[in-house]
Structures are given as structure tokens and as C-alpha cells.
Amino acid sequence: MTNDHAHVPADRPLLRRPQDGELIDVAGVAHFFRLTGEHTNGHFSFEEFSLAPGTIGARPHVHEGHDEYFYVLEGELTLHTGDGEVTAGPGDLLAATRGTPHGFRNAGTVTARALCLYTPAGYENYFRDVHAAVSAGAEATDELLAEFRSRYRTSSHPAPSGTPQE
């Protein structure tokens, strides 16, 4: 895996090999960014992520500055919809557009893998910031995550009653 932030000229296509990307491990979720804003002139970023059984990927939240699209490859994701939860399996797609409450966790028994497209790009910097803070010794508390989210026009959303918070 490479940790590249290279700008790509707009006059030619970009081929990314399976090992090409930036791995950012945040709170038990392995985010492997295949494309970031540096590669797409800020248009979008694209990642593959995985999370082990019992892991919360993201507590319910709302983005005001970008859209997210999740596509499940393996396992299952339990998705918060703002008023409840649904389970998504391989081939399912979730569109979490701006202003839409969402979150996800792995309530299944096997590791879940999914793709996520962010448009426009930039939210990959949230993951970079959290990773850097935790690597420097900070604990990934709800307060810390809320502080970083606010930098990227994102706010927490109350979880539906009865959903796990840890």
C-alpha cells in the first residue's frame, strides 16, 4: 500500500493498482482511500473500508458539505437511517446525501467490506486528522470526533432509541 498524495494531470487517465492508495485506520475501521481530492481535482474521493464484527463504523451524523454513497461488497452493514436501522448486504447501495442522518456498524458475524464515494472530496482529511490525533496519544472520544467533524461541516445526530452506542 502506498501513501501517495500525488496530483494527477487532467490530460490523462489514472490507473490505480490494488495496492495503490492511502490506508487510514480510525477507531477500528480500516479506510483504504484509492482516490482522494488530490487525484480528482477535488471532485470526489473513493475508498474501500472494512470493519470487524461488533465494530461501530460511524455513529449517526449528518453532513452538510458532501454526499456519501456506500456499496456493500462482503458481510453486512447495519445502517442508521435517522429513524431506525436497516441491514445491507452484498450489492446493496446506500445514498446518504447532504442533510441525511446516517451511520453504520457491523452487527454481523463476519468482517464487512464496502466501498464509499464522497462528493465533493475533502472528507478524507477528517480521517487523516483523527488518525493523526490518535497516533499522537489522543483518545477517540465522542467529544474529539465531534470536534473534528465540525471542521468538515458534519454534526452528530441522535441515535434511534435501542441502538448500540458503544
Side-chain angles (χ1 to χ4, degrees):
M1 291 177 212
T2 59
N3 253 350
D4 58 349
H5 300 282
H7 176 75
V8 177
D11 63 347
R12 62 187 166 108
L14 170 65
L15 172 63
R16 303 290 281 172
R17 301 289 184 185
Q19 71 277 8
D20 294 341
E22 179 182 0
L23 180 63
I24 306 172
D25 191 355
V26 175
V29 181
H31 300 271
F32 186 49
F33 280 91
R34 303 296 309 278
L35 294 169
T36 63
E38 293 89 356
H39 301 107
T40 66
N41 292 320
H43 295 289
F44 69 93
S45 55
F46 182 81
E47 73 160 310
E48 179 180 330
F49 68 88
S50 62
L51 62 160
T55 302
I56 294 176
R59 289 175 176 80
H61 59 281
V62 176
H63 302 292
E64 297 301 333
H66 72 276
D67 303 320
E68 292 180 354
Y69 302 90
F70 298 88
Y71 183 81
V72 180
L73 297 171
E74 296 175 357
E76 294 181 340
L77 292 178
T78 299
L79 304 166
H80 301 278
T81 62
D83 57 2
E85 293 184 321
V86 296
T87 300
D92 287 336
L93 174 70
L94 171 73
T97 57
R98 289 164 227 213
T100 304
H102 65 285
F104 63 95
R105 62 189 174 96
N106 183 351
T109 59
V110 299
T111 297
R113 282 189 333 114
L115 302 175
C116 190
L117 172 74
Y118 303 85
T119 181
Y123 203 63
E124 63 270 24
N125 293 317
Y126 163 80
F127 298 107
R128 290 171 176 155
D129 290 350
V130 173
H131 177 76
V134 170
S135 294
E139 185 178 340
T141 62
D142 288 342
E143 294 77 20
L144 177 78
L145 297 178
E147 176 192 332
F148 284 120
R149 281 180 175 167
S150 69
R151 297 178 186 177
Y152 298 96
R153 298 180 59 199
T154 299
S155 59
S156 297
H157 186 272
S161 62
T163 59
Q165 294 298 304
E166 296 298 327

